[in-house]
Amino acid sequence: MNDPAGLPGPNSPIDYHAPTAWLLGTGEDADVVMSSRARLARNIAGFPFVNSASRDDRRHALAVSRQRIMDARLTKKLAWIELHETNHAVRTLLVERHLISRQHAKGKLNRTTGGVDEPRAVAVGTPDEALSIMVNEEDHLRIQLIGSGLCLNDLLRRIDDVDDRIEAGIDYAFSPRFGYLTACPTNVGTGIRFGVMLHLPALKLTGDIEKVKRAAGGMSLAVRGFYGEGSDASADLYQISNQTTLGKSEAAILRELTGEVLPAVIGYERSARQKLLEHRSEVIEDKVHRAIGVLTHARLLSTEEAMDHLSMIRLGIVAGLMPELEQQPINHLLLMVQPGHLQMLCGRVLSQGERRIERAKLVRERLAGVAGS
Amino acid sequence: MLCECGLREATIHEVTITNGVRVERHLCEQCAQKLGLPLHQQAPVSEILAKFVSKQGAQSVVGPRKPTAAQCPQCGLTFAAFKGTELLGCPTCYEAFEVPLSPLLERTHEGGTHHVGKVPKRALEASRLRGPEAMEKLLGGLAERQARIGSLRKQMEDAVKGEQYERAAQIRDEIRRVSSIAPSEPRAEREPPPENPEPGGPNPHSQEPPRS
């Protein structure tokens, strides 16, 4: 499936050119909420956890999982990708599309052991890529559903169904006291994590983003960047997720997030945007038009610079300053400017310097026609 | 609902089942006090036990009074090795390290000590067919269920102390739901009975749809 440069060929089960479900810019509260995500951590009874299993055990768990996932009729089409047989380029694309974690791309078993040839896989529902199941990451199964806008209630219903279908053919590691047993005790209990990716450019401009972080920390919610733990909040995108999984039901965890925290943060961002537009509209307009100016004329662009300007354009669109532009192509560009996707579009491996040139070229081409507006 | 005295709103609801006969009483605080009923939720034995166990756990980290498994009998992981990687080796580790893990879990999960939520659907259906013993293996016995409620009560009290009343109300709903799980033996219930008693387990399939 790969050409000599290691890039996915025409027979690739995933269309890496297409936008993923979480980039559509549709759904509830899509002016602030970019995407919603739910994930379940599950382990198969009778197997050691991934980090302490022998290579043979991991192979066995992978084979059992594959059989079960393929038999469970989870989506019309499901791509199965064995990551130990892929190369760095494909794994980078999967990480950038939020289909696998960085840890899974590297095949890390814990902080010190593991490597890229560890037996592991990802199953991806195509063509929308809403469902993905990492096999042999930290837990045997990490089931993920992702959607555009605020759709956590819908995701909970759907992920519950996926979970039941998989469980219909295998025994999960479960205890009456601790619930679903996971390798890391921070996930034990329901094993569920809900997350939303929020676009908070106005709170960033007013400096109130720190208040949001502090408030979320007080409620044991985590605020992270675009690419999860340890990543920066590029493009003013922040992820908020629950931290506790034991002692509360799935619905209660969801209610805490959707009932209190999220409406408050969404409300803050909207009122910050409103205030900026009312009192300092020239500042916002200047930032948005400068962003257009840079992106349509720059000859060299780093990922961060491209993302920050795209964030401003996105703000301009949702604030009604750019009626000629739509959100979805801008969201799509956020993905296409990532190093892996850029190389895929160019059809060859690029050095960092070449990437900056090609990125600037890509963005100029995609925004052509907007220039001078 | 009014109290039996007909003067005040009933806030204490008692259901007693004696020899299979169910008696319901709805009382205001004053009347309940006259009848010698405790006003505050009686701490169940299991809750006291849970506190005792976590104290034991805290001590055992320093110098074990009760012998704890130095190693998981299944995978051979030691608790010291777990502290290094923060990853357990296999499902049996949870039993083997239950004592030293308990305080850690309580801190990580905002006081949560017992699972409340989904139960594997097929496993639940299969154990329903196999009878009470299989059900108990999956859901835990009465003590387990009471500990689950005890853990929730503690969270509710903490929420009230922190003046998070909306959260406290949500946990109260959760307690009602968990309390409605079919008990295997008669017991006095001090929680108001839920409007729609749900048979079966703590299973989201029988749960009200989440509000948003």
Side-chain angles (χ1 to χ4, degrees):
Chain A
M1 90 185 212
N2 304 319
D3 71 4
L7 297 164
N11 297 328
S12 164
I14 290 178
D15 178 7
Y16 294 99
H17 293 264
T20 64
W22 52 274
L23 284 169
L24 295 177
T26 55
E28 218 174 297
D29 297 318
D31 57 327
V32 180
V33 184
M34 186 100 162
S35 63
S36 305
R37 171 180 175 263
R39 80 110 171 94
L40 293 173
R42 297 288 187 256
N43 285 283
I44 307 169
F47 281 94
F49 293 144
V50 179
N51 73 91
S52 77
S54 66
R55 177 76 61 112
D56 274 349
D57 276 338
R58 280 198 287 277
R59 272 198 207 102
H60 191 188
L62 183 67
V64 169
S65 304
R66 183 196 161 123
Q67 187 71 49
R68 188 58 224 136
I69 290 169
M70 288 311 193
D71 289 348
R73 295 167 180 262
L74 302 174
T75 53
K76 276 189 188 154
K77 276 181 99 177
L78 198 72
W80 176 266
I81 303 167
E82 305 236 333
L83 295 168
H84 48 282
E85 286 175 1
T86 59
N87 52 49
H88 181 73
V90 169
R91 291 193 297 270
T92 306
L93 288 168
L94 293 169
V95 171
E96 290 174 358
R97 296 177 88 79
H98 290 195
L99 294 172
I100 63 170
S101 63
R102 285 177 181 175
Q103 180 185 333
H104 205 41
K106 289 176 187 160
K108 285 273 189 195
L109 295 173
N110 57 39
R111 285 181 204 136
T112 48
T113 58
V116 289
D117 57 348
E118 288 299 339
R120 68 203 192 284
V122 64
V124 181
T126 57
D128 65 353
E129 298 172 33
L131 172 71
S132 68
I133 305 169
M134 290 193 284
V135 183
N136 278 355
E137 204 238 27
E138 188 176 286
D139 296 297
H140 293 134
L141 302 176
R142 286 284 180 101
I143 308 165
Q144 167 181 280
L145 264 175
I146 207 161
S148 183
L150 186 59
C151 56
L152 290 170
N153 288 330
D154 179 47
L155 292 183
L156 175 58
R157 272 191 296 276
R158 286 163 59 199
I159 207 162
D160 195 37
D161 179 56
V162 170
D163 187 42
D164 290 343
R165 283 166 188 259
I166 295 174
E167 193 252 339
I170 44 169
D171 284 327
Y172 281 149
F174 181 86
S175 106
R177 171 164 181 194
F178 297 112
Y180 292 90
L181 302 175
T182 53
C184 184
T186 53
N187 297 313
V188 80
T190 57
I192 204 161
R193 190 135 296 166
F194 294 107
V196 282
M197 189 146 57
L198 303 173
H199 186 223
L200 305 175
L203 287 175
K204 179 82 178 299
L205 282 173
T206 58
D208 287 332
I209 193 75
E210 291 307 316
K211 280 186 206 160
V212 172
K213 282 190 191 173
R214 276 200 298 275
M219 298 201 59
S220 57
L221 299 165
V223 183
R224 295 176 180 144
F226 188 50
Y227 280 108
E229 215 159 348
S231 72
D232 292 329
S234 346
D236 307 316
L237 289 166
Y238 296 83
Q239 292 185 49
I240 295 188
S241 57
N242 64 294
Q243 289 302 90
T244 57
T245 52
L246 182 67
K248 289 174 198 159
S249 68
E250 293 80 357
I253 293 169
L254 181 58
R255 271 203 297 270
E256 272 186 28
L257 200 61
T258 54
E260 299 165 32
V261 185
L262 279 177
V265 177
I266 294 168
Y268 290 151
E269 171 63 23
R270 281 187 187 142
S271 72
R273 287 178 189 178
Q274 194 63 35
K275 271 185 204 153
L276 284 170
L277 282 172
E278 277 168 17
H279 306 294
R280 297 171 68 200
S281 63
E282 65 288 350
V283 175
I284 292 285
E285 282 179 35
D286 180 65
K287 281 190 180 293
V288 171
H289 287 280
R290 267 173 197 273
I292 288 274
V294 170
L295 294 184
T296 50
H297 289 87
R299 283 342 192 222
L300 296 172
L301 273 179
S302 69
T303 316
E304 290 70 30
E305 193 182 3
M307 287 182 76
D308 286 345
H309 290 310
L310 286 169
S311 161
M312 274 303 133
I313 296 178
R314 192 182 183 278
L315 173 64
I317 295 168
V318 295
L321 299 174
M322 326 217 77
E324 70 283 12
L325 279 178
E326 279 176 24
Q327 205 198 119
Q328 200 249 317
I330 300 298
N331 291 351
H332 191 196
L333 261 180
L334 280 173
L335 180 63
M336 292 298 146
V337 299
Q338 302 300 323
H341 278 79
L342 192 64
Q343 296 188 121
M344 186 249 331
L345 290 174
C346 292
R348 65 192 174 95
V349 176
L350 305 167
S351 69
Q352 200 174 358
E354 287 172 322
R355 284 208 294 272
R356 293 176 67 199
I357 299 170
E358 292 298 333
R359 188 176 291 115
K361 203 168 135 196
L362 170 78
V363 174
R364 280 205 312 276
E365 282 168 9
R366 299 255 170 136
L367 292 179
V370 180
S373 61
Chain B
M1 182 181 284
L2 279 181
C3 168
E4 287 172 10
C5 66
L7 299 172
R8 288 169 291 264
E9 190 68 19
T11 54
I12 314 268
H13 309 270
E14 190 191 41
V15 181
T16 324
I17 301 168
T18 319
N19 300 327
V21 183
R22 184 185 160 103
V23 182
E24 277 189 41
R25 298 196 75 176
H26 306 282
L27 304 161
C28 66
E29 287 197 4
Q30 282 87 337
C31 291
Q33 205 160 22
K34 274 184 215 156
L35 290 166
L37 288 175
L39 285 183
H40 299 289
Q41 298 293 350
Q42 208 172 359
V45 178
S46 54
E47 191 182 342
I48 299 166
L49 210 72
K51 279 182 186 160
F52 175 73
V53 170
S54 44
K55 268 184 196 156
Q56 287 271 307
Q59 282 166 2
S60 72
V61 176
V62 187
R65 272 179 58 184
K66 184 182 157 193
T68 56
Q71 250 189 335
C72 170
Q74 187 70 37
C75 69
L77 183 85
T78 63
F79 198 69
F82 158 71
K83 283 200 270 186
T85 61
E86 293 175 4
L87 294 174
L88 292 164
C90 72
T92 311
C93 287
Y94 278 95
E95 282 167 49
F97 303 128
E98 185 168 2
V99 174
L101 264 181
S102 291
L104 193 141
L105 287 169
E106 212 175 323
R107 276 200 305 277
T108 315
H109 297 283
E110 290 182 292
T113 56
H114 286 71
H115 175 56
V116 178
K118 189 173 180 176
V119 168
K121 193 182 175 187
R122 183 183 51 90
L124 185 70
E125 280 161 11
S127 52
R128 265 200 193 121
L129 294 174
R130 271 189 248 127
E133 251 176 61
M135 278 291 271
E136 199 156 309
K137 203 176 164 211
L138 185 74
L139 299 175
L142 186 63
E144 191 76 52
R145 287 198 291 274
Q146 286 184 341
R148 201 172 283 149
I149 291 166
S151 165
L152 282 168
R153 281 205 179 117
K154 190 169 166 286
Q155 288 177 47
M156 185 169 72
E157 283 161 20
D158 289 346
V160 171
K161 272 184 213 156
E163 298 185 4
Q164 295 172 292
Y165 298 113
E166 200 176 332
R167 186 154 174 247
Q170 284 171 2
I171 302 171
R172 183 203 56 210
D173 293 346
E174 195 77 42
I175 293 173
R176 287 181 187 170
R177 191 181 66 77
V178 174
S179 305
S180 72
I181 299 162
S184 56
E185 49 203 274
R187 65 188 163 115
E189 187 63 83
R190 293 197 188 284
E191 288 296 333
E195 283 162 25
N196 301 306
E198 301 156 78
N203 184 343
H205 302 281
S206 57
Q207 209 170 292
E208 49 169 356
R211 283 173 286 166
S212 59

